[in-house]
Amino acid sequence: MKWLNAVIGKLLLMVGLDLESRIGGSIQFFLYDTMKITGLLCVLIFLISYIQSFFPPERSRKIMGRFHGIGANAVGALLGTVTPFCSCSSIPIFMGFTSAGLPLGVTFSFLISSPMVDLGSLVLLISIFGVKIAVAYVVLGLVIAVIGGTLIEHLHMEDQIADFIRHNPGKVDIESPHLTVKDRLLYSKDQVVFTFKKVFLYILIGVAIGAVIHNWIPEGWVETVLGDNNPFGVILATLVGIPMYADIFGTIPIAEALFTKGALLGTILSFMMAVTTLSLPSLTMLKNVIQPKLLGTFIAICTVGIILVGYVFNAIAHLLV
């Protein structure tokens, strides 16, 4: 969408803004990224929601119930890619899957992958970082989900699930209705409106932060904190990302700005994964569903996995960029 950036630049020049100045550059970055991400977001949500209409929770539960072992974890992680766009939205479905009797490890593979990896993020990442980086991000995100779920399964922590879920077995709340094409199109349109209202503020915040990083923060500062000079940059980025609350669409403009300023690729992706998977609001919701021991295990597995992925990406970045 470079043509859009060029059009915005010409319009700003017509009103007298100097695009080489910090203010002019920030405004151009803000307008371009906001319009690009919002436009792609609406198109992607419509298409993905149409796909989602074929995989309501009850049908997903039945699909996952056909598999066993690590294969079941892989299926749970893959189904997480075509379900809600943030961790808070995934938790009610996780509860339904758990109460329906699915293995704990499988439900956690779903819970990890759902906010971290989705089809929309894949396309947006391709538009900014290229195909190789986007695919590598998705693959490693799925690996974290599968390994994390498998580890939790082998720890046999079923007693850490809240009693109201364990003692209330049954189906996932949403059945699999027969929908016409018109029904699916209406559902997709409603999802666009709902998700847009939910995430647009975070897109604006993310793009604003990205504009500040891109035009106001010296490149040397970013390289010192998140570049080769700091071997602990991945750990720092992960810990900084955890208390934030956003989704993948709000973190992408920040990642884009950091990338152009010299931050290491793995460090940036660790930040994105931490924000989307381990946000405080989602952990607070999860605390009401599982006991502290299991919650701590979940946080530890995800944190270690995200940090390891960051260092792996930093090591192989020269093969991807």
Side-chain angles (χ1 to χ4, degrees):
M1 300 182 70
K2 292 181 179 179
W3 62 269
L4 177 61
N5 195 36
V7 170
I8 293 172
K10 290 180 181 179
L11 292 175
L12 292 177
L13 287 173
M14 290 174 61
V15 299
L17 277 176
D18 180 8
L19 301 184
E20 299 299 323
S21 68
R22 288 181 173 178
I23 293 177
S26 297
I27 293 175
Q28 183 180 23
F29 183 96
F30 182 84
L31 292 175
Y32 170 64
D33 263 40
T34 299
M35 294 173 67
K36 176 183 70 175
I37 293 176
T38 302
L40 287 172
L41 174 69
C42 291
V43 173
L44 291 172
I45 290 176
F46 186 88
L47 296 175
I48 293 167
S49 296
Y50 193 87
I51 296 173
Q52 286 179 355
S53 68
F54 293 93
F55 295 95
E58 175 60 20
R59 184 175 183 184
S60 298
R61 181 193 69 81
K62 291 178 180 178
I63 292 173
M64 288 190 288
R66 298 172 186 169
F67 297 85
H68 303 282
I70 196 170
N73 292 94
V75 172
L78 287 171
L79 284 174
T81 65
V82 290
T83 46
F85 299 96
C86 69
S87 51
C88 290
S89 301
S90 306
I91 292 174
I93 300 179
F94 160 79
M95 294 166 58
F97 286 159
T98 305
S99 66
L102 288 176
L104 188 62
V106 176
T107 60
F108 267 94
S109 288
F110 167 85
L111 184 64
I112 295 170
S113 73
S114 182
M116 184 184 293
V117 181
D118 62 60
L119 299 179
S121 67
L122 174 62
V123 177
L124 281 176
L125 285 167
I126 289 173
S127 70
I128 293 174
F129 296 110
V131 174
K132 290 191 290 186
I133 292 176
V135 171
Y137 173 88
V138 171
V139 170
L140 288 178
L142 291 173
V143 169
I144 291 178
V146 172
I147 293 177
T150 302
L151 288 174
I152 289 175
E153 183 73 26
H154 282 82
L155 291 174
H156 301 292
M157 303 177 75
E158 286 76 10
D159 61 334
Q160 294 291 302
I161 299 294
D163 289 341
F164 75 91
I165 295 178
R166 285 194 296 139
H167 298 155
N168 185 32
K171 292 185 177 181
V172 181
D173 289 339
I174 305 174
E175 295 288 343
S176 302
H178 177 71
L179 299 177
T180 64
V181 172
K182 181 179 179 180
D183 292 333
R184 297 186 193 281
L185 292 174
L186 289 174
Y187 168 77
S188 301
K189 183 202 72 174
D190 291 340
Q191 286 297 105
V192 170
V193 175
F194 173 79
T195 307
F196 175 82
K197 291 179 179 179
K198 185 175 181 180
V199 306
F200 186 62
L201 175 62
Y202 299 112
I203 292 175
L204 293 179
I205 294 172
V207 173
I209 294 173
V212 170
I213 294 172
H214 191 271
N215 295 280
W216 294 85
I217 296 180
E219 186 173 315
W221 291 11
V222 176
E223 289 182 345
T224 298
V225 178
L226 301 177
D228 287 323
N229 296 328
N230 184 5
F232 302 104
V234 170
I235 298 174
L236 177 62
T238 302
L239 296 179
V240 168
I242 289 175
M244 297 180 65
Y245 177 59
D247 55 28
I248 190 72
F249 304 108
T251 59
I252 282 178
I254 301 175
E256 180 183 12
L258 289 173
F259 190 61
T260 60
K261 284 290 183 176
L264 295 180
L265 178 62
T267 304
I268 295 170
L269 297 182
S270 289
F271 167 76
M272 294 173 62
M273 287 182 170
V275 171
T276 54
T277 308
L278 295 173
S279 66
L280 283 182
S282 66
L283 295 180
T284 301
M285 289 179 61
L286 200 57
K287 182 177 178 293
N288 297 319
V289 179
I290 61 179
Q291 300 298 319
K293 182 179 178 181
L294 179 53
L295 179 63
T297 302
F298 168 74
I299 294 172
I301 289 174
C302 289
T303 302
V304 171
I306 289 169
I307 290 173
L308 289 176
V309 165
Y311 282 114
V312 169
F313 260 101
N314 283 345
I316 66 172
H318 64 284
L319 301 175
L320 302 173
V321 178

